[in-house]
Structures are given as C-alpha cells and as structure tokens.
Amino acid sequence: MQPLRPERPEAFWEWRVIADEPGMHRLSIVASVIDPDGGEVVIENRQVELRLHVEGTVGYYAGRAWNGLMAFVMNAQGLVAGIAAVASVLAGTWLTRRRRARSRRALEVESEGAAGRDRDRSGYL
C-alpha cells in the first residue's frame, strides 16, 4: 500500500518479474485506489494487462539440453535394464531345460545299463 498525497499525487511501484521460459507472456496487474479518510474505494480493481516477449538465455537452453540428455540417459538405462531382464529370464529358462535334458539322458543311460546287466548273467558288459 502506498499513500497518495496532494503534494505528490502519483505512486510508483517496481517489480522484478522473471519468466520461467521464453516466448510471449501476459502479465496482469490489478490495482485499487482507496480514499484514506473515509476508506471509500475511489477506483476499484483496475486491471492493466501487459504482453511481454521474453528471449531465451544461454542458461535456459543449456538447462533444457541437460534435462533432455538426462531423460535420454534414464530412458536408455531403463531400456538396457529391460533387455537385461528379458535376457536373464530367457537364459534361465534355457539353462533349466538343458539341465533337465541332461538329467533325463543320465537316467536313460543308467536304466539301459541296468537293463543290460540284468540280461547278461556273466557279469561282463
């Protein structure tokens, strides 16, 4: 709040507004003038709109490039992790099947050997 006096009937305000990103922006300012004696509103909610064009800075574009690079790296890491997970599942399945096949072959060889010994009474193979 800034009082207006007859000797100085104007007021000045100063703000520093920083845009988040470059481009066209709209800045709206709403002001009211109140009579200090009676508290009556002389001017109620007067709106001033400004259209501002904001240029991009090197820091802004460097930050965007950095964020884009990090997003790419994170996505690439996720992709590599996904491929590694699928590969490990496939490798685990393959190894399990291979072990089962070896176990079956070993049992078949054992049972064939036992069956052959049962037929040949001489004790020789």
Side-chain angles (χ1 to χ4, degrees):
M1 187 156 124
Q2 183 174 2
L4 300 176
R5 310 227 184 266
E7 63 274 3
R8 190 168 174 200
E10 43 194 39
F12 295 95
W13 292 279
E14 186 176 318
W15 294 279
R16 182 178 178 158
V17 179
I18 300 172
D20 290 340
E21 57 186 39
M24 289 300 294
H25 297 277
R26 187 179 73 191
L27 177 65
S28 295
I29 301 170
V30 178
S32 297
V33 177
I34 301 173
D35 179 21
D37 296 331
E40 293 181 24
V41 177
V42 178
I43 299 175
E44 184 175 352
N45 296 337
R46 184 170 208 177
Q47 184 171 353
V48 177
E49 286 199 15
L50 303 171
R51 293 189 59 79
L52 305 168
H53 182 268
V54 178
E55 296 291 328
T57 63
V58 172
Y60 171 78
Y61 290 114
R64 284 196 56 180
W66 178 256
N67 290 340
L69 179 64
M70 288 297 104
F72 173 76
V73 167
M74 292 302 165
N75 286 338
Q77 283 179 344
L79 179 64
V80 168
I83 290 171
V86 169
S88 67
V89 167
L90 292 175
T93 304
W94 179 75
L95 284 174
T96 302
R97 286 185 178 187
R98 187 173 175 196
R99 287 181 185 155
R100 284 183 185 162
R102 281 186 180 174
S103 296
R104 283 187 199 133
R105 274 189 250 131
L107 286 174
E108 288 172 4
V109 168
E110 246 182 60
S111 65
E112 286 175 8
R117 270 185 268 131
D118 289 342
R119 279 189 235 130
D120 184 14
R121 303 276 176 198
S122 66
Y124 298 106
L125 293 175

